[in-house]
Amino acid sequence: MKFRFRRQGNDPHREKIKQDLFAFSKTVEHGFPNQPSALAYDPKLQLMAIGTKSGAIKIYGAPGVEMTGLHKDTAAVTQIHFLYGQGRILSLLDDNTIHLWEIVQRENRSHLVEVHSFNLPGRPGIESTSATRVTVMLLKLSCDLLALGTEGGGVLLFVMLFTCLVIPLFSVPEEYKCGKSLGPVESLQEHPQDSDKILIGYSRGLVVLWDLNSRHVVNLFLGKQQLESLVWERSGNSFVSSHSDGGYMVWAVSSSNPCTHDPISSTVPYGPFPCKAVNKILWRTTESGSPLVLFSGGMPRASYGDRHCLTILQDSSHVTLDFTSRVIDFFTIHCTDKDKEFDDPSALVVLLEEELIVIDLQMAGWPTVPAPYLAPLHSSAITCSCHISNVLPKLWERVISAGQQQCPLQNYEVGEKSSYSSGELSGHEDGTVRFWDASGVSLKPLYKLSTANIFQTDCDHNDSLTQAGEEEWPPFRKVGCFDPYSDDPRLGIQKISVCKYSGKLVVAGTAGQVIVMVLSDEKSDHMIDVATVDLLQDREGFTWKGHDRLPPKSGSVVFAPGFQLVVLVQCMPPAAVTAVTLHAEWNLIAFGTSHGFGLFDYHRRSPVLARCTLHPNDSLAMEGPLSRVKSLKKSLRQSFRRIRKSRVSGKKRAVVYSPTNKVSFPLRCSSRFHQVQEANAQLAEHDAEVTPVQRRIEPRSADDSLSGVVRCLCFADTFLRDGTHHGPTMWAGTNSGSVYAYALDVPSQEKFSEQSVEALLGKEIQLMHRAPVVSIAVLDGRGNPLPEPYEVSRDLAKAPDMQGSHSVLIASEEQFKVFMLPKVSAKTKFKLTAHEGCRVRKVALSNFTSISSEEYSENALVCLTNLGDIHMFSVPALRPQVRYDCIRKEDISGIASCVFTKTGQGFYLISPSEYERFSLSARVITEPLCRVDVERPHDLSAHRNITEEDGRPPGILIN
């Protein structure tokens, strides 16, 4: 007895094991930066930097080279500039502060670190009209001078140790002496051949060529239009200005004419009607002939004022790139060697609000170059995610091959660093499923599967009309894949299940569609095989008020190489699918909605089982997720009912299982739990005690709305009928805490075509307090999760222990319970301890390998709560191991989107376009291990900040 009541203490040996197994770290952010606001490029180091409105700076190089820095204050990055070849960045924020960043080496890898900051005078905020508010920055190529143009029209020069010099006021031409100022400085450009001269452009149109050495005006250019941007021609003999009227002008720089009134040429490409401003222009010389002109904006205001465009002009070639999101900035990759005569640009890089576009400027037609990473995950809104671990290279090669046929320019090779890799599948609102290689730092796009071609949607006819009625001028070309508008919201993918060994895939959608697909290397053409499963089973008194199902195409459909349709299973009513699972070895899929669940044999194209889980009072389940009808009175009434019931100490409900019973159709939906409560009252005793550290779980109403929603489904080869004969089973858990277990008679592979699958109801379990069932998993005799289909038969996993007694782990929103099989007797449990209304949101079983020894590993139950914290428990003992804060509890979408991997990692959306990747394993960590080696003329860490006490303006050393 002394061992039984001995106070639990920390076991040093166990603590060491936990340290070797578990460690939390946020490792890398996948996807496209949310709300980008600035762009920069270093041609020497071939690094690109993107700044965001949240104050982040992200640096990208070759795939795998990524670094992130975050400003201390959450202010938008308005400009960023590389110090050429030095691995340093200057950033300007909208609070009028300048920050210096360095790429430093720590632990044999590169990090982006802020080393200095400089507060400029002036009120922060976009609405500020302060004369010292910085509008534009120019960092000289030699990195020895920083010029800042201000809103008040002044130019501040910071030389060497940031000694501030102000350009003296030059004589303003008569044309500009009208009582108005010159306006803000819009552009500062260094002379391409003479670094001592800079071009200063003012908003009202005046452009000044200034000599830094003699501090005087070399040339004045008297433009009449409001200035937007300036760019030098490579020789320095001319420059180009773009204006608010949608035009651009070419100006000659001549020493014989210090004051120029008229440009060489003036062009409004999309005139003569009023046009929007040309925000930025680039002029690149080419050895082949005419210069290449690239500019953003300038579209006819009345007809195409809402378009986001960038134009490329060269001789008679003219393309208007039409984007679906706003142009933030762009640059060209071209020759920067001063000894060369021509720019000869090779590529155009355009940063848009929602994606990054790269255009090949050397190939005919200027095609788009597929990016190896930085793809917009949210090209259509992400609706679900699925992760697959240890994918065999052969399957990856087939998926990659199908992706390359979709996009011939996509160049991707399977990495040789590992015989296995991992993948992320994202389901989207437009009915697409995208495959990503998630085995490294860069989330690489592999293949896109579209399910819209299976259905007849309203948009099919409209697209052809739009294409036919499109005008030839301007010569628009749709570019990019970001499409925020779904053709039909019913296409949205809700659940994904995949078998990585057989190439089978199941995707389920918003209108009750469950699509079974198989990977094929050849093109095919066939009719759509449709099977309908009625989950209501002709229940009286219920009328579906939601959306209609998606009608499948009637004719023959062409399927490209990749995943191709096997059968379309249509749930009726066509409510959104809430759970789906696949067992490719048994040729079975299971699916659930808010009305019930079904079992389908896709080899014989026949339904095996349909069960209604609706409560008679559940009217909300009749309306569907896309219905706008919702009774406010009913919601309030249910809220008050919950409050009343929470104040009453209700009798505890027992965990119940029913005797084996053959399934018959139609099934009645009413519960039979009260008939067997007495026989299972002993199971309730395990819930009688409530320890002081655990929150008391309140009972829930049996007639709560959406109580019939099927939350989870699983297949398992286990003991359900008796303790000596194991066989296929299917388990389903609902929102009301009900668990249904079915014994399945599955014929052998040779007799699949002859015999049909049969389902026998084995057990019904009703959890106390009716907490929603989040997850169900069957454990073998050693307490290990059962292997996936084909893993054992193909010698890819150890066979499960079929000698000892199996158990089932049922996770609800409020507690975890392990029941012994086949008697379904409670073995152990854990109530989640929290006083703030903690609820389980995501659960997974993961394997953790020790960092000290590859031979030692443990399985653990990983749990994410609605508070954003992660708990881990031993399996099957359910002893708490570690706890980590992961996601902010206010980030509801992040918590809802989280998925765990089988190796102890996880993904969740930190924005509509970015996954945050984290690791719970001390051994398995995917993080950037890149190293960028740079040579710097000076070490900034050896210098001190300059303060106002020195008698000079505060600043930073930048040379």
Side-chain angles (χ1 to χ4, degrees):
M1 296 296 288
K2 67 179 181 180
F3 294 103
R4 178 165 182 162
F5 293 106
R6 183 174 59 184
R7 181 174 297 177
Q8 294 291 328
N10 290 335
D11 181 356
H13 178 64
R14 180 59 193 168
E15 292 299 318
K16 176 64 170 65
I17 292 176
K18 288 198 292 187
Q19 289 178 6
D20 290 344
L21 291 173
F22 311 119
F24 176 75
S25 59
K26 293 186 178 181
T27 54
V28 67
E29 295 173 2
H30 295 304
F32 182 77
N34 187 42
Q35 294 185 311
S37 54
L39 178 69
Y41 177 66
D42 187 329
K44 183 175 181 181
L45 298 179
Q46 294 185 327
L47 294 176
M48 179 179 68
I50 296 177
T52 71
K53 290 184 179 179
S54 61
I57 291 182
K58 295 172 178 283
I59 293 181
Y60 302 94
V65 179
E66 294 185 21
M67 283 164 276
T68 301
L70 192 63
H71 291 89
K72 295 175 183 177
D73 297 325
T74 307
V77 180
T78 55
Q79 293 185 48
I80 44 179
H81 299 269
F82 276 99
L83 277 72
Y84 182 77
Q86 295 188 20
R88 293 169 176 160
I89 291 179
L90 276 176
S91 62
L92 172 67
L93 304 188
D94 66 355
D95 63 0
N96 220 33
T97 60
I98 297 177
H99 303 257
L100 178 66
W101 298 79
E102 270 190 5
I103 297 175
V104 299
Q105 315 302 328
R106 292 178 184 169
E107 300 175 353
N108 202 33
R109 55 175 285 200
S110 295
H111 300 263
L112 185 63
V113 178
E114 182 180 352
V115 291
H116 294 293
S117 63
F118 176 37
N119 293 313
L120 293 164
R123 298 195 310 271
I126 300 175
E127 73 285 351
S128 171
T129 56
S130 169
T132 55
R133 177 172 176 77
V134 176
T135 55
V136 63
M137 294 172 62
L138 168 65
L139 184 61
K140 285 187 62 178
L141 201 62
S142 58
C143 302
D144 59 355
L145 182 140
L146 173 66
L148 303 177
T150 67
E151 208 164 89
V155 178
L156 307 177
L157 299 180
F158 290 84
V159 188
M160 295 296 288
L161 297 178
F162 249 106
T163 304
C164 181
L165 303 175
V166 181
I167 293 180
L169 185 64
F170 47 83
S171 178
V172 178
E174 291 294 329
E175 293 88 337
Y176 288 83
K177 292 181 179 178
C178 58
K180 296 181 181 178
S181 66
L182 297 174
V185 178
E186 292 292 343
S187 185
L188 293 170
Q189 300 292 328
E190 180 181 356
H191 196 289
Q193 303 299 328
D194 186 351
S195 60
D196 290 330
K197 295 177 181 177
I198 63 172
L199 206 59
I200 307 170
Y202 293 91
S203 176
R204 282 187 55 205
L206 177 67
V207 179
V208 177
L209 181 61
W210 179 266
D211 190 304
L212 294 169
N213 283 336
S214 60
R215 300 186 187 179
H216 76 277
V217 174
V218 178
N219 291 90
L220 284 175
F221 304 91
L222 308 178
K224 302 298 182 182
Q225 290 290 337
Q226 182 175 321
L227 182 71
E228 295 290 330
S229 73
L230 297 172
V231 62
W232 278 106
E233 186 267 328
R234 185 180 183 91
S235 65
N237 295 325
S238 61
F239 68 88
V240 183
S241 62
S242 72
H243 301 275
S244 62
D245 65 344
Y248 63 88
M249 303 177 183
V250 181
W251 301 80
V253 178
S254 172
S255 57
S256 60
N257 187 8
C259 188
T260 305
H261 289 76
D262 299 313
I264 299 175
S265 64
S266 179
T267 307
V268 182
Y270 298 109
F273 299 107
C275 295
K276 300 197 75 174
V278 173
N279 303 308
K280 179 177 178 177
I281 191 166
L282 296 179
W283 184 281
R284 300 293 183 233
T285 56
T286 61
E287 191 173 3
S288 60
S290 300
L292 199 69
V293 183
L294 311 100
F295 61 87
S296 60
M299 302 308 297
R301 188 176 294 274
S303 304
Y304 305 108
D306 58 343
R307 298 280 186 107
H308 309 291
C309 295
L310 189 147
T311 299
I312 307 177
L313 289 170
Q314 187 179 33
D315 289 331
S316 59
S317 300
H318 183 167
V319 171
T320 308
L321 304 178
D322 188 9
F323 307 116
T324 56
S325 59
R326 186 168 56 92
V327 177
I328 304 297
D329 202 354
F330 57 96
F331 64 84
T332 58
I333 298 173
H334 60 274
C335 175
T336 56
D337 187 351
K338 285 190 175 183
D339 297 331
K340 301 292 183 180
E341 186 178 353
F342 300 100
D343 294 311
D344 283 328
S346 59
L348 165 68
V349 180
V350 187
L351 176 65
L352 305 172
E353 200 166 34
E354 304 292 352
E355 59 186 319
L356 185 81
I357 300 294
V358 180
I359 303 293
D360 190 330
L361 296 176
Q362 292 185 327
M363 287 187 67
W366 302 319
T368 303
V369 180
Y373 59 102
L374 266 179
L377 301 174
H378 65 315
S379 52
S380 174
I382 296 174
T383 49
C384 67
S385 300
C386 172
H387 185 271
I388 46 176
S389 304
N390 300 335
V391 185
L392 295 175
K394 188 175 181 180
L395 178 67
W396 251 177
E397 290 168 6
R398 296 176 65 193
V399 172
I400 291 168
S401 175
Q404 287 177 333
Q405 292 183 64
Q406 289 178 336
C407 184
L409 294 175
Q410 185 87 33
N411 185 17
Y412 181 82
E413 298 178 0
V414 181
E416 299 178 356
K417 61 181 180 180
S418 173
S419 58
Y420 298 92
S421 59
S422 64
E424 185 80 5
L425 277 64
S426 57
H428 299 266
E429 190 181 35
D430 63 354
T432 58
V433 177
R434 287 171 167 81
F435 289 67
W436 312 87
D437 180 5
S439 54
V441 171
S442 300
L443 202 64
K444 301 174 184 177
L446 300 181
Y447 167 73
K448 183 178 80 169
L449 164 67
S450 177
T451 62
N453 65 324
I454 299 173
F455 303 100
Q456 182 68 44
T457 58
D458 296 337
C459 64
D460 295 341
H461 182 62
N462 294 337
D463 281 349
S464 59
L465 291 177
T466 304
Q467 295 294 334
E470 213 170 87
E471 297 182 10
E472 295 183 357
W473 181 261
F476 287 120
R477 183 202 296 171
K478 289 282 186 184
V479 178
C481 61
F482 176 72
D483 184 7
Y485 307 107
S486 174
D487 293 334
D488 192 324
R490 295 175 295 174
L491 289 168
I493 304 298
Q494 297 296 321
K495 297 294 175 182
I496 302 171
S497 182
V498 62
C499 175
K500 60 194 176 189
Y501 304 112
S502 64
K504 297 287 195 317
L505 172 71
V506 179
V507 294
T510 306
Q513 69 270 32
V514 182
I515 307 166
V516 184
M517 312 191 89
V518 65
L519 184 59
S520 174
D521 300 325
E522 302 296 331
K523 180 181 177 181
S524 70
D525 183 355
H526 57 82
M527 302 284 286
I528 295 173
D529 197 352
V530 184
T532 303
V533 178
D534 183 8
L535 297 179
L536 285 183
Q537 291 296 299
D538 301 321
R539 284 296 307 277
E540 295 180 0
F542 289 95
T543 304
W544 174 247
K545 302 174 184 177
H547 50 266
D548 294 330
R549 72 174 187 171
L550 281 162
K553 287 185 177 176
S554 56
S556 184
V557 177
V558 177
F559 294 93
F563 283 93
Q564 299 175 356
L565 179 74
V566 174
V567 61
L568 167 62
V569 182
Q570 179 63 56
C571 299
M572 295 302 290
V577 177
T578 55
V580 72
T581 188
L582 160 72
H583 201 295
E585 212 163 0
W586 301 340
N587 291 336
L588 293 176
I589 59 168
F591 46 86
T593 70
S594 55
H595 303 114
F597 56 88
L599 182 64
F600 190 85
D601 180 348
Y602 61 81
H603 182 77
R604 292 173 57 90
R605 312 290 202 272
S606 63
V608 179
L609 164 71
R611 172 102 191 209
C612 176
T613 56
L614 271 178
H615 190 276
N617 295 341
D618 193 354
S619 62
L620 284 183
M622 295 292 96
E623 297 174 2
L626 301 180
S627 173
R628 299 180 181 179
V629 181
K630 188 173 182 180
S631 171
L632 179 60
K633 291 182 179 179
K634 179 173 173 60
S635 299
L636 291 173
R637 186 166 60 249
Q638 289 171 343
S639 299
F640 283 118
R641 186 184 297 128
R642 290 192 193 100
I643 293 171
R644 286 199 302 271
K645 284 186 176 292
S646 67
R647 293 172 180 169
V648 178
S649 178
K651 292 183 179 180
K652 298 187 181 300
R653 298 182 177 87
V655 178
V656 178
Y657 65 93
S658 72
T660 301
N661 185 20
K662 179 83 177 210
V663 176
S664 60
F665 296 93
L667 284 170
R668 293 187 62 82
C669 192
S670 58
S671 173
R672 297 179 292 124
F673 296 145
H674 63 280
Q675 299 174 358
V676 286
Q677 277 190 349
E678 293 181 4
N680 296 279
Q682 70 272 15
L683 296 180
E685 296 176 3
H686 294 277
D687 286 336
E689 73 281 358
V690 179
T691 59
V693 296
Q694 295 179 343
R695 177 179 56 82
R696 183 178 295 277
I697 300 173
E698 299 293 349
R700 302 182 183 214
S701 170
D703 61 350
D704 278 351
S705 294
L706 302 177
S707 60
V709 174
V710 178
R711 292 286 292 270
C712 57
L713 294 159
C714 81
F715 289 110
D717 185 355
T718 188
F719 302 90
L720 190 61
R721 295 183 173 121
D722 55 58
T724 56
H725 301 90
H726 63 85
T729 63
M730 186 201 76
W731 300 71
T734 73
N735 230 21
S736 60
S738 302
V739 177
Y740 305 89
Y742 286 85
L744 308 178
D745 288 329
V746 180
S748 61
Q749 294 286 343
E750 298 79 19
K751 298 181 179 179
F752 254 121
S753 300
E754 303 171 12
Q755 298 180 11
S756 60
V757 178
E758 291 188 357
L760 298 159
L761 180 60
K763 300 289 188 294
E764 291 184 21
I765 305 171
Q766 176 61 60
L767 297 182
M768 271 193 64
H769 314 295
R770 301 184 178 273
V773 180
V774 178
S775 173
I776 302 173
V778 176
L779 310 175
D780 70 2
R782 301 188 188 94
N784 296 322
L786 297 182
E788 294 182 36
Y790 290 114
E791 276 192 325
V792 175
S793 61
R794 300 188 181 185
D795 296 325
L796 298 169
K798 293 181 180 179
D801 181 4
M802 290 298 187
Q803 303 302 319
S805 57
H806 284 198
S807 56
V808 59
L809 169 59
I810 299 177
S812 75
E813 281 193 355
E814 297 175 339
Q815 61 183 335
F816 312 113
K817 270 194 172 182
V818 175
F819 298 94
M820 299 305 295
L821 293 176
K823 293 184 178 180
V824 195
S825 56
K827 180 182 179 182
T828 184
K829 68 174 182 180
F830 184 87
K831 296 180 182 178
L832 206 63
T833 57
H835 299 280
E836 304 87 29
C838 188
R839 292 286 187 273
V840 176
R841 286 290 177 257
K842 301 284 180 174
V843 166
L845 287 169
S846 299
N847 185 264
F848 294 85
T849 303
S850 172
I851 197 172
S852 300
S853 172
E854 195 173 353
E855 303 298 321
Y856 183 79
S857 65
E858 287 185 14
N859 293 311
L861 176 69
V862 183
C863 159
L864 172 69
T865 75
N866 62 334
L867 302 180
D869 52 356
I870 291 178
H871 303 254
M872 284 193 274
F873 304 87
S874 62
V875 176
L878 297 182
R879 294 193 184 94
Q881 299 299 301
V882 288
R883 176 196 165 279
Y884 303 115
D885 291 322
C886 181
I887 310 174
R888 292 182 301 107
K889 63 181 180 181
E890 297 84 9
D891 187 3
I892 298 173
S893 62
I895 294 172
S897 63
C898 183
V899 292
F900 294 111
T901 76
K902 292 191 174 181
T903 56
Q905 297 189 81
F907 299 80
Y908 68 94
L909 289 172
I910 54 173
S911 73
S913 60
E914 294 171 290
Y915 280 117
E916 175 76 69
R917 187 171 187 151
F918 61 89
S919 177
L920 304 168
S921 168
R923 186 181 188 91
V924 181
I925 302 174
T926 304
E927 59 182 345
L929 296 175
C930 59
R931 182 179 176 89
V932 179
D933 293 317
V934 294
E935 295 181 2
R936 298 189 178 110
H938 299 283
D939 181 10
L940 293 185
S941 60
H943 297 270
R944 60 189 176 91
N945 279 338
I946 299 174
T947 65
E948 292 180 349
E949 296 177 359
D950 297 304
R952 289 169 292 187
I956 53 176
L957 174 68
I958 64 166
N959 67 307

